[in-house]
């Protein structure tokens, strides 16, 4: 009982901390992709769109640029297809597209399922007819949270180590 009472809050807090850190990482990557490609989107030069090496980075499930109809613009190997996988992230991209059309200006980060965090940043360009920026594409990044989580066994080892140290200190004190 003592083990459960001691470890349960630690594990819950550790999971929240990992989610916060991964959310921040996803947001930064999505923003970087967005900023790198704003000029190419403005020039309608889809062949110049690039996600760099982000799509090959550790833990990244998806790193791409999609248009407002959910068609993949970059990376070039997937260009022209519709963004469908993972389905939970694709669904979030559709909702984000609607929000950006409704004049939402900033990106969003959300947990799409128990193992994936998705960040979407708008790629905005000036529309001279409207006199303001409008979203023409989106940078989408999905990161696997399971790779960063501390295993339960690792936490048990820390607790066992602490328990042994507590016993040793207790023996010296008493």
């Amino acid at each position: 009982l003592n083990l459960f009472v001691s470890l349960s809050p630690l594990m819950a807090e550790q999971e929240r901390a990992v989610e916060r850190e991964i959310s921040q990482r996803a947001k930064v990557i999505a923003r970087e992709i967005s900023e790198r490609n704003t000029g190419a989107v403005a020039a309608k030069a889809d062949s110049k769109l690039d996600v760099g090496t982000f799509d090959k980075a550790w833990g990244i499930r998806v790193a791409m640029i999609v248009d407002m109809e959910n068609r993949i613009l970059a990376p070039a190997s997937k260009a022209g297809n519709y963004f469908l996988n993972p389905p939970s992230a694709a669904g979030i991209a559709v909702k984000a597209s609607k929000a950006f059309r409704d004049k939402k200006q900033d990106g969003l980060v959300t947990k799409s399922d128990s193992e994936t965090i998705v960040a979407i940043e708008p790629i905005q360009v000036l529309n001279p007819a409207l006199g303001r920026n409008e979203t023409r594409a989106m940078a989408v990044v999905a990161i696997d949270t399971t790779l960063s989580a501390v295993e339960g066994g690792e936490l048990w080892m820390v607790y066992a180590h602490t328990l042994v140290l507590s016993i040793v200190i207790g023996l010296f004190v008493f």
Side-chain angles (χ1 to χ4, degrees):
L1 181 65
N2 181 31
L3 290 174
F4 177 75
V5 170
S6 299
L7 287 181
S8 181
L10 281 173
M11 290 180 77
E13 181 56 35
Q14 183 268 338
E15 185 177 325
R16 285 190 296 274
V18 166
E19 285 181 15
R20 279 192 306 269
E21 185 63 31
I22 291 175
S23 295
Q24 191 62 28
R25 179 178 178 224
K27 186 175 182 177
V28 166
I29 292 170
R31 186 169 291 144
E32 179 67 22
I33 291 171
S34 173
E35 289 175 2
R36 282 185 187 184
N37 291 283
T38 300
V41 169
K44 298 181 181 176
D46 292 353
S47 63
K48 296 200 184 254
L49 295 174
D50 184 31
V51 295
T53 59
F54 289 123
D55 61 334
K56 295 169 184 62
W58 181 79
I60 303 288
R61 288 189 174 171
V62 170
M64 62 179 54
I65 300 171
V66 298
D67 66 9
M68 301 307 283
E69 283 75 41
N70 238 21
R71 281 188 305 267
I72 300 171
L73 302 175
S77 61
K78 298 177 183 176
N81 297 318
Y82 280 92
F83 176 37
L84 301 173
N85 287 316
S88 56
I92 291 169
V94 169
K95 290 177 186 173
S97 176
K98 289 177 186 172
F100 294 141
R101 281 189 182 116
D102 291 338
K103 316 243 183 330
K104 179 173 174 52
Q105 294 291 315
D106 53 342
L108 60 97
V109 179
T110 187
K111 191 170 183 178
S112 66
D113 59 40
S114 64
E115 299 177 347
T116 308
I117 291 182
V118 178
I120 301 176
E121 285 289 327
I123 301 176
Q124 299 178 333
V125 296
L126 178 65
N127 182 336
L130 298 175
R132 62 178 168 80
N133 287 339
E134 70 176 2
T135 302
R136 292 237 182 109
M138 303 177 292
V140 180
V141 175
I143 298 181
D144 185 354
T145 61
T146 60
L147 298 176
S148 299
V150 174
E151 299 286 323
E154 293 171 354
L155 212 48
W156 285 104
M157 289 301 294
V158 169
Y159 183 79
H161 182 78
T162 306
L163 184 62
V164 169
L165 286 176
S166 297
I167 291 169
V168 169
I169 291 171
L171 289 174
F172 281 123
V173 172
F174 299 107

